[in-house]
Amino acid sequence: MRRLLIGLAAGTLFVAATACGSSGSSGTDSASGTTTLKIGVIPIVDVAPMYLGQKKGFYSERGLKLEPTLAQGGAAIVPGVISGQFDFGFSNMTSLLVARSKNMPVKAVVNGVASTGKEGADFAEIAVKKGSPLKSAKDLEGKKVAANTLGNICDTSVNESVRKAGGDPSKVEYVEMPFDQMPAALDKGQVDAACVVEPALATIKSQGGTVLASNFVDVSPDLTVAMYFTSQQYAQKNPELVKKFQEATAESLKYADSHPDEVREIITTYTKIPDSLLKTLVLPRWPAEPDRASIERLAELGQQDGLFEKAPDLDKLLP
Amino acid sequence: MRGANTALGAAGLAGFLALWEAVPRLGLVKDDYFPPVSRVAGALATELGDEAFWTALGDTLTGWAVGLAIAVTAGILAGVVIAVVPHLRAATASTIEFLRPIPSVALIPLAVLLYGTELRSVLLLVVYASFWQILVQTLYGVQDVDPVAEETARSYGLGPWARVRHVLWPTALPYVMTGVRLAAAVALILAVTAELVIGAPGLGQRIAVAQTSQAVPEMYALVVVTGVLGLLINVGARTVERRALAWHQSVRGEVTV
């Protein structure tokens, strides 16, 4: 009994100690003048430039230290940034547009990732399995298409591909499923096509699957697919930090765009993508600046598909 | 007898592993999605040699241990207080029955909003899930106190604290220990789930990264690790239970047979 009581007391103390220890961990200016920024990212190819830029010292030479936190899916990133858990986050444009249309105080600060603009050779595609009878995006009418999140960039862009091929997008049936499960779902015939990104796309191709259409290219060849963003409060309070982060990230994007081999190498440090896929996967493009016209197009499509009633104010969203 | 059991157990495990090896090799499922055990074992060996794996294991165990400690402390204290004060029991019964069935994972959006991907969001889920196990067991345990024993203690002039110590606690302890054992398993499940879904650091997050990276053997290797962890925790909880209840007839009975 006494031992149990001692154990309980020790447990309580331990808990109290950890609770104290974990508070105030958020990084701020230290004596050395380095600021630690918490960045909410998804462990995917798209954010490779940030890791590369950190390795190359583009951030540290501006007094920034990045602390990337891997969040599972964008769902945790937007609320994380708004509530101040993260200083910056990485999110696809449609999610940011939807957030902005709901008057959530998100502010995009620097470009994230863009479509390669090459039909049939993009990092996101509408893929079908080997020997599929589907020949063009028009054939998706009445078929099941996998999308990672419903009411987001996948279905709006696939809708556009169907429209461009002369089909009726309202006849497409979307099924929500994580990217990594799409190869197996295609294989088993649970879905007829998939809106899929790397590295799952490389898996599908390695099993003989083919590309039906390039949905991002169909929206715009220069489509800005995702951006780094922060909250309005943070941007107002820390204009200097935001500017430094912007500059360092733009430099990283430029560097990554011209050094694909180094990109493939850095990917192995934060993902577990197997070598066989790493060699074949299609890298996206990383221009330093977002393409406003393509974002406007994405907003129009989102409005057309009913993702938001009123077009979001791009002047408030974009840097 | 014991030796025979061990042999049977080992044979069962060997059979399971052979089946796992055979099913993908025979093409019953595609080995792209369900690799044979030999390939998973290879991936596991690589994992064990990776420092980041041990950090992740440490993170998961921290979330589990701290969460369980909070739940056990709070559950026992709340349980005893509620059970001893009759009005409190009546006042809280319906609330407990209302809150208890809410699945902990339903609190994920709240956890993300409050604490992001920190350890604290894991703790929120772990504590919520395991607290009820302990609380309810404690309540049952206290209810089981023999009224004659209680009255006897009273008439011998034992004070409230002495009655809790000598009458209530020995009666309730077997129930509480069952609660702790159940909670220990639930806490592990919730810790891994929180890491998997929210992305808090730990084994769950590592599984998620392997999954999004299409690194299938690594993913199963990590899943196996969580399974082994669950097994060890169960064995550990049973040992603690046996020690704590060494005086109790249920345990003594087991030993003498």
Side-chain angles (χ1 to χ4, degrees):
Chain A
M1 177 66 195
R2 185 177 300 151
R3 240 180 293 164
L4 187 79
L5 275 179
I6 292 170
L8 284 181
T12 321
L13 273 178
F14 176 52
V15 168
T18 6
C20 296
S22 62
S23 65
S25 62
S26 182
T28 36
D29 279 316
S30 65
S32 64
T34 307
T35 310
T36 303
L37 300 178
K38 283 192 176 177
I39 323 278
V41 295
I42 326 173
I44 46 171
V45 178
D46 308 27
V47 293
M50 194 186 77
Y51 285 90
L52 193 55
Q54 192 172 22
K55 191 182 155 208
K56 287 278 154 197
F58 299 154
Y59 291 95
S60 57
E61 69 194 28
R62 291 177 175 84
L64 300 180
K65 186 174 176 287
L66 299 189
E67 195 185 300
T69 305
L70 298 181
Q72 187 57 14
I77 296 182
V78 173
V81 167
I82 290 178
S83 67
Q85 301 296 330
F86 303 130
D87 301 314
F88 294 91
F90 181 87
S91 172
N92 85 62
M93 271 334 287
T94 302
S95 297
L96 291 179
L97 290 168
V98 169
R100 194 66 252 185
S101 75
K102 287 181 186 157
N103 280 325
M104 279 153 92
V106 290
K107 177 84 188 160
V109 293
V110 60
N111 199 21
V113 69
S115 160
T116 61
K118 290 184 197 133
E119 192 80 50
D122 203 355
F123 74 103
E125 304 276 13
I126 308 174
V128 292
K129 78 166 174 177
K130 190 180 176 178
S132 164
L134 307 183
K135 295 297 167 223
S136 87
K138 187 182 187 307
D139 299 338
L140 292 175
E141 286 182 353
K143 294 288 190 291
K144 280 187 188 153
V145 180
N148 71 320
T149 315
L150 295 185
N152 210 293
I153 197 161
C154 248
D155 41 10
T156 33
S157 59
V158 172
N159 280 351
E160 181 65 3
S161 289
V162 174
R163 233 177 262 124
K164 281 204 163 165
D168 178 0
S170 67
K171 288 185 184 151
V172 180
E173 190 191 332
Y174 290 100
V175 182
E176 192 165 83
M177 110 179 15
F179 288 128
D180 46 76
Q181 288 171 22
M182 291 181 186
L186 273 181
D187 228 15
K188 277 184 71 185
Q190 286 170 335
V191 291
D192 302 293
C195 165
V196 63
V197 299
E198 296 290 11
L201 176 59
T203 304
I204 294 174
K205 285 181 184 164
S206 76
Q207 294 165 349
T210 51
V211 170
L212 191 68
S214 300
N215 46 320
F216 285 175
V217 181
D218 281 335
V219 174
S220 164
D222 296 315
L223 182 66
T224 298
V225 179
M227 287 182 76
Y228 294 92
F229 70 102
T230 186
S231 68
Q232 246 165 0
Q233 304 92 292
Y234 188 87
Q236 271 159 15
K237 255 203 254 163
N238 308 289
E240 273 303 304
L241 283 179
V242 169
K243 198 160 163 278
K244 283 182 190 164
F245 179 75
Q246 247 166 358
E247 287 170 3
T249 308
E251 192 178 349
S252 308
L253 293 170
K254 231 187 274 173
Y255 186 86
D257 224 13
S258 50
H259 295 83
D261 291 340
E262 287 182 49
V263 168
R264 283 181 210 271
E265 207 180 290
I266 200 90
I267 288 172
T268 57
T269 60
Y270 68 95
T271 75
K272 290 178 158 287
I273 298 178
D275 284 343
S276 53
L277 293 183
L278 195 61
K279 283 190 210 109
T280 62
L281 60 81
V282 178
L283 294 179
R285 230 158 35 85
W286 287 292
E289 295 296 325
D291 181 77
R292 180 159 175 143
S294 75
I295 299 170
E296 278 166 5
R297 181 75 191 122
L298 201 59
E300 269 172 53
L301 291 177
Q303 202 172 356
Q304 196 172 341
D305 288 339
L307 299 191
F308 25 81
E309 286 174 6
K310 194 163 67 65
D313 187 346
L314 289 189
D315 291 328
K316 274 194 184 156
L317 177 63
L318 295 179
Chain B
M1 189 65 207
R2 203 182 165 85
N5 273 343
T6 316
L8 274 178
L13 188 64
F16 170 72
L17 292 179
L19 191 69
W20 183 354
E21 183 72 23
V23 165
R25 288 220 183 268
L26 294 174
L28 295 175
V29 291
K30 267 199 149 183
D31 62 356
D32 283 348
Y33 310 121
F34 190 72
V37 70
S38 50
R39 231 187 313 151
V40 173
L44 182 60
T46 322
E47 277 294 322
L48 296 180
D50 188 347
E51 204 183 315
F53 165 78
W54 296 101
T55 316
L57 181 67
D59 285 332
T60 300
L61 286 178
T62 308
W64 169 78
V66 176
L68 186 64
I70 298 175
V72 167
T73 316
I76 292 177
L77 289 179
V80 169
V81 170
I82 290 173
V84 168
V85 184
H87 290 300
L88 206 53
R89 177 151 204 170
T92 54
S94 48
T95 314
I96 290 173
E97 286 313 310
F98 168 70
L99 290 175
R100 196 161 64 107
I102 295 176
S104 205
V105 284
L107 302 179
I108 284 176
L110 178 71
V112 170
L113 201 63
L114 287 178
Y115 305 123
T117 57
E118 281 176 40
L119 174 65
R120 278 183 284 179
S121 49
V122 175
L123 290 183
L124 178 71
L125 303 192
V126 170
V127 171
Y128 190 89
S130 36
F131 171 75
W132 303 112
Q133 312 268 357
I134 313 235
L135 177 73
V136 170
Q137 285 294 322
T138 310
L139 289 177
Y140 282 138
V142 176
Q143 207 175 26
D144 198 39
V145 169
D146 184 357
V148 178
E150 171 72 12
E151 287 306 317
T152 313
R154 230 181 252 274
S155 57
Y156 273 92
L158 266 65
W161 175 245
R163 288 207 303 283
V164 166
R165 163 74 185 81
H166 295 288
V167 181
L168 187 148
W169 185 246
T171 315
L173 192 60
Y175 289 85
V176 173
M177 277 299 153
T178 307
V180 172
R181 183 159 47 78
L182 296 175
V186 167
L188 179 71
I189 294 170
L190 264 299
V192 175
T193 307
E195 292 158 3
L196 198 61
V197 179
I198 300 174
L203 289 175
Q205 188 207 47
R206 232 173 138 74
I207 293 175
V209 170
Q211 202 180 346
T212 48
S213 302
Q214 301 280 303
V216 180
E218 286 78 3
M219 184 189 83
Y220 282 109
L222 290 162
V223 171
V224 167
V225 171
T226 57
V228 171
L229 212 54
L231 189 72
L232 292 179
I233 283 175
N234 196 23
V235 170
R238 278 188 186 281
T239 312
V240 170
E241 194 176 8
R242 223 176 301 132
R243 287 266 170 91
L245 298 177
W247 50 271
H248 196 266
Q249 54 193 12
S250 65
V251 171
R252 276 196 319 208
E254 243 173 60
V255 174
T256 48
V257 167

